[in-house]
Amino acid sequence: EVQLVESGGGLVKPGGSLRLSCAASEFTLSSYSMNWVRQAPGKGLEWVSSISGSSSDIYYADSVKGRFTISRDSAKNSLYLQMNSLRAEDTAVYYCANYGYYFDYWGQGTLVTVSS
Amino acid sequence: QSALAQPAAVSGSPGQSVTISCTGTSSDVGSYNLVSWYQKHPGKAPKVMIYEGSKRPSGVSNRFSGSKSGNTASLTISGLQAEDEADYYCCSYAGSSNFVFGGGTKLTVL
């Protein structure tokens, strides 16, 4: 059974940093475009970032451009999101998901809370 | 990139049909046949119900159907059942590997 498991969320002060991880099992991350999608409390889903299978193409939503960095480690079959200069509005549950004409497999999400 | 416009809430009785609209622009919904719909229960990960506007993934009930006209996509759920009560989100490819989601619609089964 395919599993994506996010980790690394937590409470951080404004301006701080966090690194999220997404570990895959029964699923080869490098075969797919991988994405981070977030949901702020009481709000809708928001696409955050994507990385192509070859890692050659990387894209970010305008709301996180210049602050977040997506990456992957094929040897560890894992996806990462380095989040710097965090703001209160980055508070959300962060999901990793693959995309192949639609967001197919999703993790259970990890909560990031940015608060002083 | 602005969120796609969805009604905040819709409701229907068991057995009835409901339709949820998703309005974008000529830069997203209107330009690509890559609209997908997701069902999300609280505390759970989203589940795709429709992709490429009208296709159903394996295992999704044929009570769910999708369509698109111009800049507006629609999800129709027929024969409403209690377990259909959830939040529904549309999503469109918006070019340059960007995606835009709708604000979400809360479906209540009366």
Side-chain angles (χ1 to χ4, degrees), chain B residues 7-98:
Chain B
V10 298
S11 62
S13 298
Q16 289 186 333
S17 295
V18 295
T19 296
I20 300 171
S21 61
C22 169
T23 302
T25 69
S26 57
S27 297
D28 38 62
V29 175
S31 285
Y32 305 97
N33 195 29
L34 288 172
V35 173
S36 47
W37 288 89
Y38 301 85
Q39 178 190 67
K40 191 179 186 306
H41 289 103
K44 302 288 188 180
K47 174 188 176 184
V48 62
M49 307 305 284
I50 295 289
Y51 69 100
E52 291 183 6
S54 61
K55 297 180 180 178
R56 269 190 317 275
S58 173
V60 172
S61 170
N62 59 9
R63 297 186 297 105
F64 291 83
S65 62
S67 64
K68 192 187 90 165
S69 177
N71 297 337
T72 298
S74 299
L75 172 72
T76 297
I77 308 170
S78 59
L80 270 178
Q81 298 179 2
E83 62 260 34
D84 298 333
E85 187 162 293
D87 294 327
Y88 290 85
Y89 294 90
C90 60
C91 177
S92 176
Y93 181 69
S96 301
S97 290
N98 281 253

Side-chain angles (χ1 to χ4, degrees), chain A residues 26-60:
Chain A
E26 304 300 323
F27 184 81
T28 303
L29 286 184
S30 58
S31 298
Y32 299 91
S33 162
M34 292 301 298
N35 298 259
W36 289 97
V37 176
R38 68 185 180 183
Q39 184 175 31
K43 303 292 186 181
L45 298 170
E46 179 189 16
W47 172 78
V48 172
S49 180
S50 69
I51 183 169
S52 64
S54 63
S55 298
S56 60
D57 300 305
I58 288 175
Y59 302 92
Y60 300 97

